[in-house]
């Protein structure tokens, strides 16, 4: 699954880190803000991927787990799925530490 209730299409020249930034920006923007994991977690994840720094994979995966288990709705608990897909299929392109 790549996407959150939608289909994303791209070719082999697409920057997968840019896809991650796009998904996380969408997730953070659409968060209703009622629960901490979604409101804070998605913003923090977006900020990390939007920077030029390497993203700590272990810490990011812990954040995904927190989102999945602690979010109050399907929005927050669903956002880890496309991110895990990117981690599984494009780890070298995401700029992970």
């Amino acid at each position: 699954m790549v996407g959150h209730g939608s289909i994303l299409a791209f070719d082999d020249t697409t920057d997968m880190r840019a896809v991650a930034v796009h998904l996380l920006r969408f997730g953070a923007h659409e968060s209703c803000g009622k629960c901490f994991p979604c409101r804070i977690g998605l913003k923090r994840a977006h900020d990390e991927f939007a920077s030029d720094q390497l993203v700590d994979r272990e810490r990011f995966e812990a954040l995904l787990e927190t989102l999945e288990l602690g979010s109050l709705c399907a929005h927050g608990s669903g956002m880890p799925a496309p991110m895990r897909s990117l981690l599984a299929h494009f780890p070298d392109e995401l700029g992970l530490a």
Side-chain angles (χ1 to χ4, degrees):
M1 179 168 139
V2 177
H4 189 67
S6 65
I7 295 173
L8 298 176
F10 40 82
D11 64 19
D12 59 355
T13 64
T14 302
D15 179 349
M16 289 300 124
R17 186 159 175 144
V19 171
V21 170
H22 171 77
L23 290 170
L24 292 166
R25 180 177 48 239
F26 167 80
H29 181 266
E30 292 299 317
S31 172
C32 72
K34 289 183 181 176
C35 65
F36 290 145
C38 192
R39 182 179 71 227
I40 297 170
L42 290 172
K43 171 80 169 102
R44 183 169 292 155
H46 171 264
D47 291 347
E48 285 192 32
F49 273 92
S51 77
D52 292 334
Q53 303 298 314
L54 294 177
V55 174
D56 183 308
R57 183 176 183 147
E58 283 186 38
R59 195 170 77 174
F60 182 62
E61 288 182 359
L63 173 63
L64 295 178
E65 183 177 357
T66 301
L67 278 165
E68 191 170 54
L69 299 174
S71 295
L72 297 175
C73 74
H75 177 74
S77 63
M79 282 304 296
M83 300 313 299
R84 284 196 179 112
S85 182
L86 289 174
L87 287 170
H89 298 286
F90 307 100
D92 297 337
E93 298 179 41
L94 293 177
L96 304 170

